[in-house]
Amino acid sequence: MYRSGAVMAWNVFKFCAALRGLGSIMILVVLGVVGVTYYAVVVCNYAPALVDGDLDSLIAVAVLILFHSLLVMLLWSYFSVVFTDPGSVPPNWRPELDEERGDTDPLTESEFGTASSDPVNLRVRYCRKCNQFKPPRCHHCSVCGRCVLKMDHHCVWVVNCVGALNYKYFLLFLFYTFLETSLATLALLPHFVAFFSDGEIAGTPGNLATTFLAFVLNLAFALSVLGFLIMHISLVAANTTTIEAYEKKTTPKWRYDLGRKRNLEQVFGLDRRYWFIPTYSEEDVRRMPALQGLEYPSKPDFDAQEF
Ligand SMILES: [Zn+2]
Ligand SMILES: [Zn+2]
């Protein structure tokens, strides 16, 4: 799905063109799901419950506060992924050729643009489509038509590549989407169950249909996002990207694996106050090369660094 073989090239080209064509429609789909959910949870069910009095009102206040807070974080993360450049290779970027032998990138085998018998040049990764050198962990995206730093995957939901500079925002988007869709599912559950009970149910047919639709959508999203979230947490814990996880199977020792805690910091930053919001502290951006996407600390040289 992510990499094209020669035989598949034409099909993949069609696939990529289709993805490009889909473009911003996906943003409307996301906003549509958010809109339906908002209407079902807030307008149809919990805002009216505010005037019920007693426990119902208290529950409604709690649900509404939590729902709106998560919605703000979800949309903030979402538009951060959509509008943040995942990272492109600076023009005239050249690899340093005097690196030690230990720095060989294990992914180079499939990526030699300039195959040579010279052992120094063997480490050079080159993109023939962009006609430029590739920094470590950089991959060419056929949908974007350019090289993306520490590319993870091209995400249709955010109409953007997920790479070095917006991966954290993508993870937070997954995280808040999971929380928000779970909350919506639980909040709508009693109203959904009411459909199948024998008694009279209150509400207009429109409200009932929206509630039904929103419940099914949110349950489906909560379950599928949970799977994605678990996969990405294990990727972050091992300091790999989705692409690298596919290619890494032949590499027993992963050079970027710095231990779970440090792997996490390489994506979320050192400043914990910024872990749950889609941005980094200025200091982190300055002191952490991984957040600029061109160099990554690896096992042998990590201990030599200050942090
Ligand atoms: Zn490229
Ligand atoms: Zn892309």
Side-chain angles (χ1 to χ4, degrees):
M1 184 177 169
Y2 296 102
R3 299 178 56 80
S4 55
V7 186
M8 292 281 290
W10 194 73
N11 281 335
V12 168
F13 174 75
K14 269 180 73 180
F15 177 68
C16 294
L19 285 189
R20 257 195 300 269
L22 213 59
S24 20
I25 292 173
M26 291 310 284
I27 297 182
L28 295 179
V29 171
V30 171
L31 292 179
V33 174
V34 169
V36 168
T37 306
Y38 191 91
Y39 189 79
V41 173
V42 179
V43 180
C44 297
N45 293 300
Y46 283 88
L50 282 175
V51 291
D52 284 0
D54 303 334
L55 188 63
D56 280 355
S57 299
L58 277 178
I59 293 174
V61 168
V63 168
L64 288 173
I65 290 176
L66 200 55
F67 184 86
H68 284 94
S69 318
L70 288 173
L71 186 60
V72 168
M73 295 312 294
L74 187 159
L75 291 176
W76 184 12
S77 309
Y78 180 66
F79 285 106
S80 300
V81 194
V82 173
F83 292 118
T84 304
D85 186 325
S88 51
V89 185
N92 304 322
W93 184 88
R94 292 187 72 83
E96 286 179 36
L97 292 178
D98 55 358
E99 287 175 283
E100 325 164 19
R101 252 193 102 68
D103 278 0
T104 307
D105 194 310
L107 297 178
T108 44
E109 290 95 83
S110 55
E111 311 244 323
F112 293 153
T114 48
S116 151
S117 55
D118 180 353
V120 171
N121 282 337
L122 276 179
R123 279 182 238 135
V124 174
R125 301 168 74 234
Y126 189 81
C127 178
R128 273 172 286 188
K129 291 176 194 128
C130 303
N131 275 320
Q132 68 184 8
F133 290 104
K134 283 167 143 183
R137 311 186 81 178
C138 170
H139 286 270
H140 185 88
C141 174
S142 343
V143 184
C144 298
R146 65 181 178 107
C147 278
V148 173
L149 299 179
K150 200 190 174 195
M151 178 181 167
D152 189 88
H153 68 289
H154 188 93
C155 180
V156 286
W157 293 99
V158 301
V159 204
N160 198 359
C161 244
V162 177
L165 308 188
N166 63 356
Y167 185 54
K168 173 188 168 183
Y169 311 160
F170 173 74
L171 294 177
L172 289 175
F173 169 55
L174 285 185
F175 177 66
Y176 289 118
T177 301
F178 173 67
L179 293 183
E180 181 75 318
T181 51
S182 301
L183 173 70
T185 306
L186 289 177
L188 295 174
L189 182 64
H191 304 273
F192 182 76
V193 170
F195 278 110
F196 304 102
S197 59
D198 296 329
E200 276 283 297
I201 20 173
T204 65
N207 285 5
L208 294 177
T210 313
T211 301
F212 190 94
L213 177 66
F215 176 80
V216 173
L217 279 176
N218 278 277
L219 181 62
F221 273 103
L223 292 177
S224 48
V225 166
L226 178 63
F228 243 122
L229 196 59
I230 290 172
M231 182 187 106
H232 277 282
I233 287 172
S234 71
L235 288 175
V236 173
N239 202 347
T240 50
T241 63
T242 305
I243 293 178
E244 288 165 351
Y246 276 102
E247 300 189 345
K248 198 158 76 88
K249 283 173 186 147
T250 51
T251 320
K253 226 180 86 207
W254 183 236
R255 62 188 297 247
Y256 297 111
D257 187 356
L258 312 170
R260 202 172 295 173
K261 184 173 172 283
R262 282 168 170 175
N263 291 342
L264 206 74
E265 288 170 350
Q266 291 297 305
V267 171
F268 286 89
L270 293 168
D271 193 335
R272 289 181 185 212
R273 288 170 302 171
Y274 287 78
W275 276 10
F276 291 97
I277 54 173
T279 182
Y280 291 101
S281 72
E282 276 178 37
E283 206 191 350
D284 275 355
V285 175
R286 208 163 6 88
R287 66 184 162 179
M288 298 183 71
L291 302 184
Q292 285 135 45
L294 291 170
E295 296 164 46
Y296 297 90
S298 56
K299 230 181 254 168
D301 59 36
F302 188 82
D303 294 330
Q305 297 189 12
E306 274 179 32
F307 56 91

